[in-house]
mmCIF file of all heavy atoms in Angstrom:
data_model
loop_
_atom_site.group_PDB
_atom_site.id
_atom_site.type_symbol
_atom_site.label_atom_id
_atom_site.label_comp_id
_atom_site.label_asym_id
_atom_site.label_seq_id
_atom_site.Cartn_x
_atom_site.Cartn_y
_atom_site.Cartn_z
ATOM 1 N N GLY A 1103 11.144 -132.047 14.472
ATOM 2 C CA GLY A 1103 10.549 -132.837 15.546
ATOM 3 C C GLY A 1103 9.364 -132.079 16.106
ATOM 4 O O GLY A 1103 9.115 -130.926 15.757
ATOM 5 N N ARG A 1104 8.639 -132.737 16.994
ATOM 6 C CA ARG A 1104 7.492 -132.076 17.627
ATOM 7 C C ARG A 1104 7.991 -130.979 18.562
ATOM 8 O O ARG A 1104 9.193 -130.883 18.829
ATOM 9 C CB ARG A 1104 6.631 -133.097 18.366
ATOM 10 C CG ARG A 1104 7.338 -133.809 19.503
ATOM 11 C CD ARG A 1104 6.417 -134.820 20.174
ATOM 12 N NE ARG A 1104 7.134 -135.638 21.139
ATOM 13 C CZ ARG A 1104 7.391 -135.280 22.392
ATOM 14 N NH1 ARG A 1104 6.995 -134.099 22.848
ATOM 15 N NH2 ARG A 1104 8.037 -136.084 23.214
ATOM 16 N N PRO A 1105 7.091 -130.133 19.086
ATOM 17 C CA PRO A 1105 7.526 -129.041 19.957
ATOM 18 C C PRO A 1105 8.198 -129.530 21.237
ATOM 19 O O PRO A 1105 7.874 -130.596 21.776
ATOM 20 C CB PRO A 1105 6.212 -128.305 20.278
ATOM 21 C CG PRO A 1105 5.289 -128.643 19.155
ATOM 22 C CD PRO A 1105 5.646 -130.048 18.765
ATOM 23 N N ASN A 1106 9.143 -128.724 21.719
ATOM 24 C CA ASN A 1106 9.742 -128.885 23.047
ATOM 25 C C ASN A 1106 10.543 -130.166 23.218
ATOM 26 O O ASN A 1106 10.543 -130.767 24.294
ATOM 27 C CB ASN A 1106 8.658 -128.807 24.135
ATOM 28 C CG ASN A 1106 9.210 -128.223 25.421
ATOM 29 O OD1 ASN A 1106 10.113 -127.398 25.385
ATOM 30 N ND2 ASN A 1106 8.666 -128.650 26.552
ATOM 31 N N VAL A 1107 11.233 -130.578 22.159
ATOM 32 C CA VAL A 1107 12.135 -131.736 22.298
ATOM 33 C C VAL A 1107 13.592 -131.287 22.344
ATOM 34 O O VAL A 1107 14.490 -132.117 22.462
ATOM 35 C CB VAL A 1107 11.928 -132.763 21.161
ATOM 36 C CG1 VAL A 1107 10.560 -133.403 21.257
ATOM 37 C CG2 VAL A 1107 12.151 -132.133 19.798
ATOM 38 N N GLY A 1108 13.846 -129.965 22.227
ATOM 39 C CA GLY A 1108 15.212 -129.461 22.366
ATOM 40 C C GLY A 1108 15.899 -129.118 21.065
ATOM 41 O O GLY A 1108 17.134 -129.075 21.000
ATOM 42 N N LYS A 1109 15.127 -128.836 20.009
ATOM 43 C CA LYS A 1109 15.744 -128.561 18.702
ATOM 44 C C LYS A 1109 16.654 -127.339 18.727
ATOM 45 O O LYS A 1109 17.755 -127.363 18.193
ATOM 46 C CB LYS A 1109 14.649 -128.378 17.641
ATOM 47 C CG LYS A 1109 13.852 -129.642 17.362
ATOM 48 C CD LYS A 1109 12.841 -129.448 16.252
ATOM 49 C CE LYS A 1109 11.788 -128.423 16.607
ATOM 50 N NZ LYS A 1109 11.031 -128.780 17.833
ATOM 51 N N SER A 1110 16.194 -126.263 19.357
ATOM 52 C CA SER A 1110 16.996 -125.038 19.377
ATOM 53 C C SER A 1110 18.277 -125.221 20.180
ATOM 54 O O SER A 1110 19.329 -124.685 19.822
ATOM 55 C CB SER A 1110 16.177 -123.881 19.950
ATOM 56 O OG SER A 1110 15.087 -123.589 19.105
ATOM 57 N N ILE A 1123 16.338 -118.889 20.178
ATOM 58 C CA ILE A 1123 15.799 -118.656 21.512
ATOM 59 C C ILE A 1123 15.526 -120.012 22.157
ATOM 60 O O ILE A 1123 14.927 -120.891 21.553
ATOM 61 C CB ILE A 1123 14.493 -117.856 21.434
ATOM 62 C CG1 ILE A 1123 14.763 -116.489 20.787
ATOM 63 C CG2 ILE A 1123 13.860 -117.689 22.802
ATOM 64 C CD1 ILE A 1123 13.500 -115.727 20.442
ATOM 65 N N VAL A 1124 15.979 -120.184 23.383
ATOM 66 C CA VAL A 1124 15.764 -121.455 24.073
ATOM 67 C C VAL A 1124 14.898 -121.202 25.310
ATOM 68 O O VAL A 1124 15.300 -120.489 26.220
ATOM 69 C CB VAL A 1124 17.104 -122.082 24.503
ATOM 70 C CG1 VAL A 1124 16.862 -123.418 25.193
ATOM 71 C CG2 VAL A 1124 17.997 -122.279 23.295
ATOM 72 N N GLU A 1125 13.716 -121.761 25.327
ATOM 73 C CA GLU A 1125 12.821 -121.663 26.485
ATOM 74 C C GLU A 1125 12.096 -122.991 26.639
ATOM 75 O O GLU A 1125 12.059 -123.813 25.731
ATOM 76 C CB GLU A 1125 11.794 -120.537 26.295
ATOM 77 C CG GLU A 1125 12.391 -119.134 26.319
ATOM 78 C CD GLU A 1125 11.321 -118.058 26.250
ATOM 79 O OE1 GLU A 1125 10.139 -118.391 26.438
ATOM 80 O OE2 GLU A 1125 11.670 -116.902 26.006
ATOM 81 N N ASP A 1126 11.514 -123.193 27.810
ATOM 82 C CA ASP A 1126 10.778 -124.426 28.053
ATOM 83 C C ASP A 1126 9.368 -124.365 27.487
ATOM 84 O O ASP A 1126 8.657 -125.360 27.482
ATOM 85 C CB ASP A 1126 10.718 -124.725 29.558
ATOM 86 C CG ASP A 1126 12.084 -125.095 30.114
ATOM 87 O OD1 ASP A 1126 12.897 -125.623 29.332
ATOM 88 O OD2 ASP A 1126 12.333 -124.839 31.296
ATOM 89 N N THR A 1127 8.952 -123.194 27.038
ATOM 90 C CA THR A 1127 7.601 -123.047 26.505
ATOM 91 C C THR A 1127 7.530 -123.642 25.108
ATOM 92 O O THR A 1127 8.302 -123.243 24.241
ATOM 93 C CB THR A 1127 7.207 -121.564 26.439
ATOM 94 O OG1 THR A 1127 7.417 -120.977 27.716
ATOM 95 C CG2 THR A 1127 5.762 -121.406 26.007
ATOM 96 N N PRO A 1128 6.633 -124.579 24.847
ATOM 97 C CA PRO A 1128 6.529 -125.145 23.501
ATOM 98 C C PRO A 1128 6.209 -124.062 22.475
ATOM 99 O O PRO A 1128 5.463 -123.122 22.755
ATOM 100 C CB PRO A 1128 5.366 -126.142 23.615
ATOM 101 C CG PRO A 1128 5.263 -126.449 25.074
ATOM 102 C CD PRO A 1128 5.700 -125.199 25.794
ATOM 103 N N GLY A 1129 6.799 -124.194 21.299
ATOM 104 C CA GLY A 1129 6.445 -123.318 20.195
ATOM 105 C C GLY A 1129 7.150 -121.977 20.181
ATOM 106 O O GLY A 1129 6.750 -121.075 19.460
ATOM 107 N N VAL A 1130 8.226 -121.802 20.980
ATOM 108 C CA VAL A 1130 8.923 -120.515 21.009
ATOM 109 C C VAL A 1130 9.550 -120.219 19.652
ATOM 110 O O VAL A 1130 9.502 -119.104 19.157
ATOM 111 C CB VAL A 1130 9.995 -120.503 22.113
ATOM 112 C CG1 VAL A 1130 10.921 -119.305 21.948
ATOM 113 C CG2 VAL A 1130 9.319 -120.439 23.476
ATOM 114 N N THR A 1131 10.162 -121.221 19.021
ATOM 115 C CA THR A 1131 10.747 -121.017 17.701
ATOM 116 C C THR A 1131 9.643 -121.119 16.660
ATOM 117 O O THR A 1131 9.126 -122.188 16.403
ATOM 118 C CB THR A 1131 11.836 -122.075 17.416
ATOM 119 O OG1 THR A 1131 12.802 -122.010 18.445
ATOM 120 C CG2 THR A 1131 12.514 -121.810 16.085
ATOM 121 N N ARG A 1132 9.273 -120.002 16.061
ATOM 122 C CA ARG A 1132 8.153 -119.986 15.128
ATOM 123 C C ARG A 1132 8.600 -119.906 13.678
ATOM 124 O O ARG A 1132 7.788 -119.934 12.779
ATOM 125 C CB ARG A 1132 7.235 -118.809 15.459
ATOM 126 C CG ARG A 1132 6.576 -118.950 16.824
ATOM 127 C CD ARG A 1132 5.537 -117.884 17.037
ATOM 128 N NE ARG A 1132 4.839 -118.076 18.299
ATOM 129 C CZ ARG A 1132 5.209 -117.568 19.449
ATOM 130 N NH1 ARG A 1132 6.298 -116.835 19.504
ATOM 131 N NH2 ARG A 1132 4.518 -117.784 20.546
ATOM 132 N N ASP A 1133 9.877 -119.760 13.455
ATOM 133 C CA ASP A 1133 10.386 -119.628 12.100
ATOM 134 C C ASP A 1133 11.608 -120.527 11.977
ATOM 135 O O ASP A 1133 12.216 -120.899 12.976
ATOM 136 C CB ASP A 1133 10.780 -118.159 11.848
ATOM 137 C CG ASP A 1133 10.995 -117.862 10.389
ATOM 138 O OD1 ASP A 1133 10.774 -118.772 9.567
ATOM 139 O OD2 ASP A 1133 11.380 -116.728 10.083
ATOM 140 N N ARG A 1134 11.950 -120.869 10.759
ATOM 141 C CA ARG A 1134 13.212 -121.568 10.558
ATOM 142 C C ARG A 1134 14.348 -120.585 10.793
ATOM 143 O O ARG A 1134 14.307 -119.440 10.404
ATOM 144 C CB ARG A 1134 13.335 -122.099 9.119
ATOM 145 C CG ARG A 1134 12.414 -123.223 8.803
ATOM 146 C CD ARG A 1134 12.691 -123.774 7.417
ATOM 147 N NE ARG A 1134 13.225 -122.770 6.517
ATOM 148 C CZ ARG A 1134 12.494 -121.845 5.913
ATOM 149 N NH1 ARG A 1134 11.197 -121.796 6.134
ATOM 150 N NH2 ARG A 1134 13.039 -120.974 5.103
ATOM 151 N N ASP A 1150 17.204 -124.716 11.867
ATOM 152 C CA ASP A 1150 16.373 -125.010 13.037
ATOM 153 C C ASP A 1150 14.930 -124.711 12.639
ATOM 154 O O ASP A 1150 14.663 -123.776 11.899
ATOM 155 C CB ASP A 1150 16.794 -124.126 14.208
ATOM 156 C CG ASP A 1150 16.022 -124.427 15.479
ATOM 157 O OD1 ASP A 1150 15.492 -125.544 15.590
ATOM 158 O OD2 ASP A 1150 15.952 -123.544 16.344
ATOM 159 N N THR A 1151 13.997 -125.505 13.095
ATOM 160 C CA THR A 1151 12.603 -125.301 12.708
ATOM 161 C C THR A 1151 11.722 -125.206 13.942
ATOM 162 O O THR A 1151 12.077 -125.682 15.018
ATOM 163 C CB THR A 1151 12.081 -126.470 11.845
ATOM 164 O OG1 THR A 1151 12.068 -127.661 12.642
ATOM 165 C CG2 THR A 1151 12.949 -126.681 10.627
ATOM 166 N N GLY A 1152 10.556 -124.611 13.756
ATOM 167 C CA GLY A 1152 9.548 -124.656 14.799
ATOM 168 C C GLY A 1152 9.050 -126.091 14.955
ATOM 169 O O GLY A 1152 9.120 -126.898 14.037
ATOM 170 N N GLY A 1153 8.552 -126.417 16.132
ATOM 171 C CA GLY A 1153 8.057 -127.767 16.368
ATOM 172 C C GLY A 1153 6.856 -128.095 15.488
ATOM 173 O O GLY A 1153 5.990 -127.262 15.263
ATOM 174 N N ILE A 1154 6.822 -129.314 14.973
ATOM 175 C CA ILE A 1154 5.711 -129.749 14.123
ATOM 176 C C ILE A 1154 4.553 -130.159 15.014
ATOM 177 O O ILE A 1154 4.628 -131.127 15.760
ATOM 178 C CB ILE A 1154 6.142 -130.921 13.213
ATOM 179 C CG1 ILE A 1154 7.303 -130.472 12.323
ATOM 180 C CG2 ILE A 1154 4.969 -131.402 12.376
ATOM 181 C CD1 ILE A 1154 7.892 -131.590 11.489
ATOM 182 N N ASP A 1155 3.474 -129.408 14.942
ATOM 183 C CA ASP A 1155 2.285 -129.665 15.742
ATOM 184 C C ASP A 1155 1.116 -129.859 14.781
ATOM 185 O O ASP A 1155 0.954 -129.093 13.833
ATOM 186 C CB ASP A 1155 2.019 -128.479 16.672
ATOM 187 C CG ASP A 1155 0.971 -128.798 17.733
ATOM 188 O OD1 ASP A 1155 -0.160 -129.137 17.348
ATOM 189 O OD2 ASP A 1155 1.293 -128.680 18.925
ATOM 190 N N GLU A 1159 -4.605 -124.797 14.775
ATOM 191 C CA GLU A 1159 -4.389 -123.399 15.137
ATOM 192 C C GLU A 1159 -3.520 -122.740 14.059
ATOM 193 O O GLU A 1159 -2.493 -123.296 13.659
ATOM 194 C CB GLU A 1159 -3.680 -123.330 16.493
ATOM 195 C CG GLU A 1159 -3.496 -121.911 17.017
ATOM 196 C CD GLU A 1159 -2.765 -121.910 18.342
ATOM 197 O OE1 GLU A 1159 -2.896 -122.901 19.092
ATOM 198 O OE2 GLU A 1159 -2.064 -120.925 18.610
ATOM 199 N N LEU A 1161 -1.245 -120.383 13.720
ATOM 200 C CA LEU A 1161 0.191 -120.227 13.903
ATOM 201 C C LEU A 1161 0.898 -121.566 13.803
ATOM 202 O O LEU A 1161 1.947 -121.698 13.170
ATOM 203 C CB LEU A 1161 0.491 -119.571 15.245
ATOM 204 C CG LEU A 1161 1.981 -119.414 15.587
ATOM 205 C CD1 LEU A 1161 2.683 -118.565 14.532
ATOM 206 C CD2 LEU A 1161 2.151 -118.807 16.960
ATOM 207 N N LEU A 1162 0.311 -122.606 14.404
ATOM 208 C CA LEU A 1162 0.941 -123.921 14.374
ATOM 209 C C LEU A 1162 0.900 -124.520 12.982
ATOM 210 O O LEU A 1162 1.801 -125.265 12.582
ATOM 211 C CB LEU A 1162 0.257 -124.846 15.389
ATOM 212 C CG LEU A 1162 0.416 -124.405 16.851
ATOM 213 C CD1 LEU A 1162 -0.367 -125.333 17.767
ATOM 214 C CD2 LEU A 1162 1.879 -124.384 17.247
ATOM 215 N N GLN A 1164 1.243 -122.728 10.281
ATOM 216 C CA GLN A 1164 2.338 -122.063 9.598
ATOM 217 C C GLN A 1164 3.684 -122.658 9.999
ATOM 218 O O GLN A 1164 4.566 -122.831 9.165
ATOM 219 C CB GLN A 1164 2.301 -120.566 9.911
ATOM 220 C CG GLN A 1164 1.119 -119.851 9.287
ATOM 221 C CD GLN A 1164 0.924 -118.465 9.875
ATOM 222 O OE1 GLN A 1164 1.658 -118.059 10.762
ATOM 223 N NE2 GLN A 1164 -0.063 -117.748 9.372
ATOM 224 N N VAL A 1165 3.846 -122.970 11.287
ATOM 225 C CA VAL A 1165 5.076 -123.598 11.750
ATOM 226 C C VAL A 1165 5.280 -124.930 11.043
ATOM 227 O O VAL A 1165 6.382 -125.276 10.615
ATOM 228 C CB VAL A 1165 5.048 -123.785 13.288
ATOM 229 C CG1 VAL A 1165 6.175 -124.701 13.739
ATOM 230 C CG2 VAL A 1165 5.141 -122.439 13.981
ATOM 231 N N ARG A 1166 4.202 -125.714 10.913
ATOM 232 C CA ARG A 1166 4.296 -127.005 10.233
ATOM 233 C C ARG A 1166 4.700 -126.831 8.779
ATOM 234 O O ARG A 1166 5.523 -127.578 8.253
ATOM 235 C CB ARG A 1166 2.962 -127.746 10.343
ATOM 236 C CG ARG A 1166 3.028 -129.156 9.739
ATOM 237 C CD ARG A 1166 1.830 -129.998 10.148
ATOM 238 N NE ARG A 1166 0.590 -129.550 9.550
ATOM 239 C CZ ARG A 1166 -0.412 -128.997 10.216
ATOM 240 N NH1 ARG A 1166 -0.319 -128.794 11.513
ATOM 241 N NH2 ARG A 1166 -1.529 -128.629 9.599
#
Side-chain angles (χ1 to χ4, degrees):
R1104 62 181 172 83
N1106 211 31
V1107 294
K1109 294 184 297 301
S1110 295
I1123 299 170
V1124 181
E1125 292 185 13
D1126 291 332
T1127 307
V1130 167
T1131 304
R1132 295 188 176 90
D1133 194 4
R1134 290 185 331 282
D1150 183 22
T1151 65
I1154 300 174
D1155 192 301
E1159 184 181 331
L1161 177 59
L1162 296 176
Q1164 291 166 359
V1165 168
R1166 184 166 69 249

